[in-house]
Amino acid sequence: MQPFCSLNGKAALVTGAASGIGFACAAALYRAGASVLLTDIDGPAAEQAAASLIGGATAIGVVQDVADQAGWPRVVATALAELGGLDILVNNAGIYIGGALLGNSREQLRRLNEVNVESVFMGMQAAASAMQPGGDAGRGGSIINLSSVAGIVGVPGHSAYGATKGAVRLYSKHAAVEFARFGYGIRVNSVHPGVIDTPMGAQVFDDLVDIGMAEDRAGAEQILLGMIPQGRLGLAGEVANMVVFLAADESSYCTGQEFVVDGGASAA
Ligand SMILES: NC(=O)c1ccc[n+]([C@@H]2O[C@H](COP(=O)([O-])OP(=O)(O)OC[C@H]3O[C@@H](n4cnc5c(N)ncnc54)[C@H](O)[C@@H]3O)[C@@H](O)[C@H]2O)c1
């Protein structure tokens, strides 16, 4: 497919890029002309994912646990050294822990917060330090944070996860306004997928059964698909298309905004 935006000469860092939405984003950014650093807690899978991207600019895969603070300066330094700069950060890595609110533990909430929210703070801080005028990259840039529809509306079994995704949504807006006012030339937006056909998406079906909303997997599918006006799950590539647009100069007047990719679910 012909890319609809050009990212020629731009350098991108995508977290959680070994599979699912993260890999789709890395591949779409790469196809649009960017060089890409793919990071994942599964290092060999990140390397393999990067090796599958051929015919374009540089693609490198390295291990990174996004919840580990020491890893952030290391991956930004790798981007600068291997890709020649840093223009795009996609804070994609995240985990899903479902369950009814009355059944969730504080430990679950803490773990979700660590991986889904603290990583976004550390990622924005590390990337913006490099992207800002006078920084080691110094060309401004675009930061895209993966939130969720569950960060905008309530969904049974999603309260702890949704709370962290709501934090990502507002964190993105605050960062966007601050970076624009400070003249950094860095845009920040959040992307809100509905149920996407990835390993994490599959967990949502099981969770509906676990909390007693559905009797079995087939029942869970019926309930979930019934909530989506387009009547199907989303594809990782459909989320990636939005990410490419937000990464590119074509979205130059968009910052601090939330972009929903959910087949109409949150509109119904
Ligand atoms: N799939 C959906 O239905 C859906 C819906 C809304 C939002 N999202 C969000 O989109 C993002 C990607 O979701 P996905 O469906 O592709 O998930 P996934 O579970 O299919 O893939 C996540 C990737 O992140 C990696 N990862 C997990 N923990 C990590 C860590 N601590 N450090 C680095 N990498 C780590 C995994 O190894 C994996 O490669 C997440 O932030 C998720 O919350 C997904």
Side-chain angles (χ1 to χ4, degrees):
M1 194 170 59
Q2 190 67 19
F4 52 90
C5 299
S6 172
L7 295 173
N8 285 338
K10 295 203 189 278
L13 166 51
V14 183
T15 67
S19 76
I21 293 170
F23 178 66
C25 290
L29 293 166
Y30 183 80
R31 278 197 303 273
S35 50
V36 186
L37 178 61
L38 298 87
T39 79
D40 202 282
I41 198 162
D42 184 341
E47 286 171 27
Q48 216 175 346
S52 75
L53 301 179
I54 48 173
T58 310
I60 299 170
V62 298
V63 67
Q64 180 195 16
D65 176 354
V66 292
D68 170 28
Q69 190 154 24
W72 276 104
R74 179 179 56 80
V75 295
V76 168
T78 303
L80 296 174
E82 303 291 335
L83 310 183
L86 184 62
D87 306 287
I88 299 156
L89 168 66
V90 184
N91 269 320
N92 164 78
I95 54 167
Y96 170 76
I97 300 173
L101 189 148
L102 297 189
N104 281 143
S105 68
R106 192 172 178 187
E107 287 65 37
Q108 288 176 319
L109 183 60
R110 283 188 171 154
R111 182 62 187 151
L112 279 163
N113 202 48
E114 202 173 39
V115 180
N116 293 356
V117 184
E118 291 182 25
S119 67
V120 167
F121 158 65
M122 294 185 284
M124 292 198 295
Q125 194 173 60
S129 300
M131 290 171 171
Q132 69 176 324
D136 290 337
R139 306 191 288 239
S142 174
I143 298 176
I144 299 124
N145 296 323
L146 264 291
S147 176
S148 169
V149 160
I152 302 177
V153 299
V155 185
H158 280 61
S159 61
Y161 171 80
T164 65
K165 292 301 185 179
V168 171
R169 170 176 171 261
L170 254 297
Y171 225 149
S172 306
K173 291 183 191 294
H174 285 285
V177 170
E178 189 174 298
F179 292 173
R181 294 281 190 207
F182 288 1
Y184 288 174
I186 302 170
R187 298 183 293 111
V188 186
N189 291 288
S190 56
V191 170
H192 301 256
V195 188
I196 308 299
D197 192 4
T198 70
M200 185 185 289
Q203 279 181 268
V204 175
F205 291 105
D206 299 335
D207 199 42
L208 273 187
V209 178
D210 289 347
I211 64 169
M213 294 264 307
E215 274 194 12
D216 52 22
R217 172 82 187 208
E221 277 183 28
Q222 206 181 359
I223 292 173
L224 265 183
L225 294 179
M227 290 163 65
I228 305 168
Q230 286 192 343
R232 65 168 176 87
L233 300 188
L235 303 175
E238 293 176 307
V239 180
N241 286 340
M242 179 65 81
V243 167
V244 168
F245 170 67
L246 292 173
D249 294 339
E250 276 77 359
S251 61
S252 52
Y253 202 47
C254 301
T255 196
Q257 300 307 320
E258 50 203 70
F259 293 83
V260 177
V261 185
D262 72 346
S266 58

